[in-house]
Amino acid sequence: MNLKLARMASLVFAFGFFISCTGTGVLVSDKIEQTDTQTLRSSAQQLLDDNPYSPSGNHIAGIVAYREATEQEPSERGEFYSEMATRFETALAGLRDNNAIEHIIDTKTRAWDYEFRLAEQLYEEDTSSMQALTHARNASVIQPDSLQAFVLSSQILIAQGDLTEASEYLQHAVQNGEPAQLGHHFETFAFLKTRQGDYELAANWYQRSINWLIEYDGQTLQPTGNDISRGSLLNAYHGAINTLSEAGQSNQAIFYLEHLSAVIENNNIYLEMLIVQYFNLIRSTALDAYGSINAETLDENILRIRRTVDANPSAILFTAAEFVDLASGHIDLQSQVNPDFIPLEDPTVNVLLEEARHLFERHLQTDPVSEEAIYGMASTFTLTGNDAEADNWLEMLD
């Protein structure tokens, strides 16, 4: 009898149950459950010594790893579950015996169900339970393609305040799951990325959340009674606008703001935010690059700002101050580039300050003693070196 046959014979005696050989590998009966762990370990090792990819050898080794996991404290089970999952995956790649395949699937399901159900129970008792997290993590090791455990782990980590790891678990779930089932978690994932400062990625997932809430949840933006809680379409819009702004994607933020201002009845806040975005577009054309503001971009957005202010007159003072601030920034930057820069002779400065003065004057027509408007008018002349005219305005406050 050669060595391989001898080993096979020893396996037959060691297991005490029938093992048959086919062209596709070794098939084992369900009596494996009645065999002690040490015997299984020895038998698996013999099979794997002959062939590391042996379906039956890996099947048995996976069962051994599962049994060893159940003997450990929950926090120590992870490496054994990982070994089990790896062995089972290798076995399934070569097994043809349906009984053996079903045995592997049943074992994994039993292990996952035990860990996950216990995690759920502990989470219901305490959302930040470390024990719940341990069991949820174990479940995610057992079946990485079952994404419920990843979602639950993220929820526990959020409750614990560990947003970085929470986003890692939730990212795995939302990237690998079907939108129909996991789309309601898109907004939470976007929020987590926002808290980490990854605004571009957060904006992307807020936009996905908007699309999901419309397509799958059937939400709409009603003219009145909008809900701004998490999970609502309006809140997803808010998140998208904020993160797009932080990511420098003003045009897309403007698209959402214009939509909200058109459908929301009390839209003043959105109109003010639109004004800010229009100013951001003007600034982005040159200030960061030490250049002059693009005249075409300036003219285009001034028209948009005017229309928005007309729709929301309460933003007049706010907008006037934005024009002064933009002019001041432009003057400072140009003065750094050219020490001989004269603000009064610069077309851009004059355009910006004229817009500011027009708005301050509009406000003074309704409130002639407005200190804010009077100080604002004085500042427009101070910036160009016309201190005499600035003093004339300030005298109105005496």
Side-chain angles (χ1 to χ4, degrees):
M1 181 181 297
N2 62 32
L3 180 60
K4 185 171 183 178
L5 290 176
R7 284 184 174 176
M8 288 298 299
S10 69
L11 287 174
V12 173
F13 291 117
F15 277 122
F17 56 83
F18 177 74
I19 298 178
S20 65
C21 295
T22 70
T24 58
V26 180
L27 308 180
V28 298
S29 78
D30 58 6
K31 291 185 179 179
I32 193 170
E33 293 293 340
Q34 302 171 12
T35 306
D36 66 88
T37 302
Q38 184 54 45
T39 301
L40 289 178
R41 183 183 293 108
S42 175
S43 301
Q45 189 59 55
Q46 291 185 52
L47 288 168
L48 294 172
D49 285 344
D50 282 341
N51 175 14
Y53 300 101
S54 164
S56 291
N58 280 284
H59 177 184
I60 299 167
I63 296 299
V64 171
Y66 166 67
R67 291 186 181 180
E68 290 174 334
T70 62
E71 296 170 358
Q72 310 299 317
E73 292 296 319
S75 60
E76 303 297 325
R77 293 173 187 166
E79 62 177 298
F80 297 97
Y81 281 139
S82 179
E83 171 75 8
M84 177 195 76
T86 301
R87 293 294 185 184
F88 282 166
E89 183 179 356
T90 303
L92 289 172
L95 279 171
R96 297 294 181 270
D97 177 53
N98 288 333
N99 287 333
I101 292 171
E102 289 177 6
H103 183 253
I104 288 175
I105 294 172
D106 288 346
T107 302
K108 283 186 68 177
T109 301
R110 183 166 67 250
W112 182 89
D113 192 67
Y114 171 79
E115 297 288 349
F116 183 74
R117 300 308 166 197
L118 194 51
E120 278 191 317
Q121 177 184 332
L122 293 167
Y123 175 70
E124 289 176 3
E125 297 171 359
D126 176 8
T127 57
S128 62
S129 167
M130 192 64 216
Q131 286 183 301
L133 178 60
T134 298
H135 288 293
R137 281 171 167 164
N138 287 340
S140 68
V141 171
I142 295 167
Q143 293 201 52
D145 58 342
S146 182
L147 303 178
Q148 294 167 275
F150 287 87
V151 172
L152 182 57
S153 294
S154 73
Q155 291 171 332
I156 299 168
L157 286 160
I158 290 172
Q160 292 180 351
D162 189 346
L163 302 188
T164 299
E165 190 172 4
S167 71
E168 292 172 0
Y169 274 97
L170 193 54
Q171 182 167 3
H172 178 81
V174 296
Q175 284 187 331
N176 292 284
E178 292 295 327
Q181 283 75 44
L182 289 167
H184 56 289
H185 295 293
F186 289 176
E187 184 188 351
T188 299
F189 179 63
F191 163 76
L192 292 173
K193 301 314 292 184
T194 301
R195 292 293 298 272
Q196 294 177 265
D198 192 343
Y199 299 114
E200 188 170 350
L201 185 59
N204 178 276
W205 284 94
Y206 271 123
Q207 291 176 91
R208 292 191 187 192
S209 178
I210 289 171
N211 295 335
W212 187 88
L213 289 167
I214 294 172
E215 181 178 355
Y216 290 95
D217 210 38
Q219 292 195 31
T220 60
L221 290 168
Q222 300 299 325
T224 58
N226 279 291
D227 178 17
I228 59 170
S229 63
R230 180 166 298 172
S232 73
L233 181 58
L234 183 58
N235 196 61
Y237 267 96
H238 288 180
I241 291 164
N242 291 333
T243 51
L244 285 164
S245 300
E246 293 289 348
Q249 299 178 32
S250 294
N251 281 316
Q252 188 61 41
I254 287 170
F255 172 81
Y256 285 126
L257 281 168
E258 288 178 338
H259 179 66
L260 290 182
S261 65
V263 300
I264 302 295
E265 187 172 289
N266 298 316
N267 63 357
N268 285 355
I269 184 63
Y270 302 118
L271 294 173
E272 286 191 12
M273 292 173 71
L274 267 173
I275 292 169
V276 170
Q277 292 300 330
Y278 297 145
F279 275 107
N280 286 343
L281 284 177
I282 296 171
R283 288 185 175 95
S284 67
T285 61
L287 289 184
D288 292 339
Y290 288 83
S292 181
I293 292 174
N294 180 277
E296 184 179 347
T297 301
L298 180 61
D299 292 343
E300 177 186 346
N301 285 286
I302 282 178
L303 291 174
R304 299 165 99 183
I305 291 168
R306 288 174 182 171
R307 287 196 298 268
T308 309
V309 171
D310 288 342
N312 179 23
S314 66
I316 287 176
L317 275 179
F318 161 77
T319 307
E322 284 289 302
F323 274 116
V324 173
D325 181 69
L326 182 56
S328 177
H330 178 72
I331 291 170
D332 289 343
L333 202 53
Q334 296 307 309
S335 297
Q336 293 178 38
V337 177
N338 177 15
D340 298 324
F341 176 74
I342 301 175
L344 188 59
E345 297 178 357
D346 184 77
T348 299
V349 171
N350 288 321
V351 168
L352 294 172
L353 294 182
E354 282 303 316
E355 290 295 323
R357 288 168 188 151
H358 173 71
L359 291 170
F360 284 131
E361 288 171 347
R362 279 183 63 179
H363 184 76
L364 287 167
Q365 289 174 5
T366 57
D367 185 4
V369 294
S370 169
E371 291 189 3
E372 187 174 353
I374 292 171
Y375 274 119
M377 284 295 289
S379 70
T380 66
F381 291 101
T382 300
L383 285 173
T384 58
N386 190 346
D387 295 334
E389 187 62 25
D391 289 341
N392 289 336
W393 280 95
L394 293 174
E395 287 175 1
M396 295 174 62
L397 298 173
D398 295 336

